[in-house]
Amino acid sequence: MEEIQVPSYFICPISLEMMKDPVTISTGITYDRENIEKGIFFEKNNTCLATKQSLTCIELTSNVTLRRLIQSWCTINASHGIERFPTPKPPVSKPQIIKLLKEAKSPKMQMKSLKRLRSIASENDANKRCMESAGATEFLASIINNSNEVFEEEDGFMSTKDEALSILYQLKLSKNGLRSLIMSGNGEFIKSLTRVMQHGSYESRAYAVMLMKDMFEVSTPTLLLSLNQEFFTQVVQVLRDEISQKATKASLQVLVHACPFGRNRVKAAEARAIRVLVDLLLDSSEKRTCELMLILLDQLCHSAEGRAELLNHPGGLAIVSKKTLRVSKVGSERAIKILHSISKFSSTPYVVQEMLSLGVVAKLCLVLQVDCGSKAKERAREILKFHAKAWRNSPCIPNNFLSQYPF
């Protein structure tokens, strides 16, 4: 078959593929809508690839003339196997969204309008940004804060709060949008999400903690220091229930963001976070999830309450030792930091003997032999030196490790 050369001005500068929905940006350059939206909204690249200019305005204008020219060329070359693509559906406009939001304020129209908003958000990223700029974020947050309306659906009952929460998460809000949620009602929205985690369906609880994870990534210490005990109790409960892998990771990330602060570590420990983490670690093998659990355990073991909880769990020390050198370099470093905290601040004679009988000491000797980072080796060596009298001549340490035992 004869090779067909696509005219260069039909090609998107980003993907080097033929454009199907050409749009022109503020610099006057035309791109394919899907590619430029991915660059702007997902990769956060506000620079024109062709001119290297910053985009002060991210409005995308459909290049109808070029699209029709491309479609005509496809039709002319149909005999060469070129398929004519259909005319793309135009993105929603801001006035359309404002009209829908106005209709949604009526109790009779609210659920219908919310379903329409969900459908619009699912179509493309331009619609999501349009909805955010039209005030959808504030409106959806107000429903989550205030509404208790419940409607019967074909597959069960659905509340307007559930629907609004799923849309809000689906919007993948910008940093400014997330900050507006944090500031709304003087922290009332965090309390609303906590109530959803306490009383909501499994799906809504997952959306609540995943949205909270996004918010915490742009939050301030002031917000994180204001979190109450009920918040930690409910996040830990979501973690315990293992609703989904996404919800589990989001719960871990939320707690990791919150627990650099001492008072929050105590609250998390009181919510039995340590017990849940150890239980989950026993069965978990997914790398990133294990890393997050070990990072969080390390944070919590900076408090006396956290160390006590770890030592009270029958498998606490054993699972930390087991995960050393088995997850990743990050995981090993965190596991050794946990053992260092225990050894330095909570090393009763019973704990020292338990570390020996569980194989922790042998694992620390192994750390000195392998490439796992200078910091990890330094901490392992310190732990072994702390308790040299109790451990050095023990028959529990394999002979091949004794040569690595530091004086």
Side-chain angles (χ1 to χ4, degrees):
M1 183 181 291
E2 181 185 349
E3 184 178 348
I4 299 299
Q5 293 295 324
V6 180
S8 60
Y9 50 91
F10 288 3
I11 302 299
C12 175
I14 296 176
S15 65
L16 302 182
E17 297 174 353
M18 187 165 66
M19 289 186 276
K20 295 181 179 179
D21 187 7
V23 292
T24 304
I25 61 174
S26 57
T27 59
I29 304 299
T30 297
Y31 296 90
D32 185 70
R33 183 184 295 277
E34 182 180 354
N35 286 280
I36 193 64
E37 284 182 351
K38 180 182 178 183
I40 293 174
F41 300 132
F42 279 117
E43 298 172 4
K44 311 298 182 184
N45 182 13
N46 290 348
T47 303
C48 175
L49 183 67
T51 66
K52 308 302 180 186
Q53 291 177 272
S54 296
L55 303 179
T56 54
C57 172
I58 59 172
E59 184 176 349
L60 308 178
T61 305
S62 294
N63 192 329
V64 178
T65 302
L66 181 56
R67 188 193 70 229
R68 287 174 179 169
L69 187 61
I70 296 172
Q71 288 175 322
S72 297
W73 181 87
C74 291
T75 301
I76 293 169
N77 290 279
S79 60
H80 297 284
I82 305 296
E83 293 186 11
R84 182 186 186 279
F85 56 85
T87 300
K89 186 178 179 180
V92 71
S93 67
K94 192 171 180 178
Q96 287 176 293
I97 298 298
I98 292 173
K99 182 175 182 291
L100 265 176
L101 294 176
K102 187 176 181 180
E103 291 173 355
K105 292 178 181 178
S106 166
K108 292 182 179 180
M109 294 287 293
Q110 192 163 84
M111 184 56 85
K112 183 179 179 181
S113 299
L114 288 173
K115 288 184 177 296
R116 176 65 184 135
L117 287 169
R118 182 205 274 251
S119 176
I120 291 170
S122 67
E123 289 175 1
N124 54 58
D125 297 305
N127 285 0
K128 292 181 177 70
R129 300 288 74 79
C130 182
M131 288 173 64
E132 183 178 343
S133 66
T137 304
E138 294 77 9
F139 176 72
L140 294 168
S142 69
I143 293 178
I144 295 166
N145 285 336
N146 304 312
S147 176
N148 290 309
E149 291 279 355
V150 178
F151 297 87
E152 187 171 2
E153 300 286 301
E154 290 182 3
D155 55 349
F157 290 90
M158 170 71 76
S159 73
T160 52
K161 186 177 292 188
D162 293 335
E163 189 72 16
L165 181 56
S166 68
I167 298 168
L168 199 52
Y169 174 71
Q170 188 181 353
L171 286 180
K172 298 297 179 186
L173 297 171
S174 65
K175 289 182 179 180
N176 287 335
L178 291 168
R179 290 191 184 105
S180 73
L181 284 180
I182 293 170
M183 300 301 294
S184 64
N186 195 25
E188 181 60 32
F189 190 67
I190 295 292
K191 296 176 184 176
S192 295
L193 291 182
T194 303
R195 288 193 290 270
V196 171
M197 288 191 291
Q198 183 176 12
H199 302 293
S201 65
Y202 267 33
E203 185 179 31
S204 291
R205 291 170 69 202
Y207 281 134
V209 77
M210 289 189 293
L211 181 58
M212 205 173 295
K213 185 267 293 184
D214 293 340
M215 293 167 61
F216 278 24
E217 287 176 353
V218 299
S219 65
T220 62
T222 303
L223 168 75
L224 298 175
L225 286 167
S226 68
L227 299 171
N228 59 27
Q229 183 63 54
E230 187 60 32
F231 164 85
F232 288 94
T233 299
Q234 296 310 321
V235 175
V236 171
Q237 187 61 50
V238 172
L239 198 57
R240 179 184 286 113
D241 290 342
E242 297 184 77
I243 296 171
S244 68
Q245 191 173 39
K246 281 187 175 181
T248 295
K249 282 188 178 180
S251 301
L252 291 168
Q253 288 167 311
V254 163
L255 291 171
V256 166
H257 280 298
C259 288
F261 305 99
R263 69 179 73 171
N264 287 351
R265 291 174 190 150
V266 175
K267 291 174 184 175
E270 290 177 352
R272 307 304 296 275
I274 297 276
R275 178 163 292 275
V276 174
L277 289 169
V278 172
D279 290 343
L280 291 175
L281 264 175
L282 288 168
D283 298 319
S284 181
S285 58
E286 201 277 322
K287 176 182 171 182
R288 184 53 184 160
T289 302
C290 287
E291 286 179 346
L292 287 168
M293 290 180 188
L294 290 166
I295 289 169
L296 184 53
L297 278 175
D298 172 35
Q299 290 178 330
L300 297 179
C301 282
H302 279 71
S303 69
E305 293 81 359
R307 293 191 297 275
E309 282 292 315
L310 182 69
L311 293 173
N312 285 335
H313 194 295
L317 283 175
I319 191 61
V320 173
S321 175
K322 181 181 177 181
K323 292 299 180 181
T324 306
L325 301 179
R326 286 199 179 186
V327 178
S328 65
K329 186 175 180 179
V330 170
S332 295
E333 288 174 348
R334 292 294 181 155
I336 293 168
K337 282 186 72 178
I338 294 166
L339 295 173
H340 190 272
S341 294
I342 295 293
S343 188
K344 188 172 183 179
F345 301 109
S346 304
S347 57
T348 64
Y350 176 80
V351 171
V352 171
Q353 185 58 39
E354 185 182 14
M355 292 175 78
L356 185 63
S357 62
L358 288 172
V360 173
V361 184
K363 181 61 73 78
L364 291 171
C365 290
L366 181 59
V367 166
L368 299 181
Q369 296 182 357
V370 300
D371 181 19
C372 61
S374 58
K375 281 287 185 182
K377 287 190 175 188
E378 182 182 335
R379 288 193 177 94
R381 190 174 287 108
E382 282 183 10
I383 298 170
L384 291 168
K385 285 181 177 180
F386 286 157
H387 311 297
K389 282 187 178 181
W391 291 344
R392 181 166 175 77
N393 297 315
S394 172
C396 294
I397 303 178
N399 289 331
N400 58 318
F401 288 153
L402 283 175
S403 62
Q404 293 297 321
Y405 203 102
F407 289 100

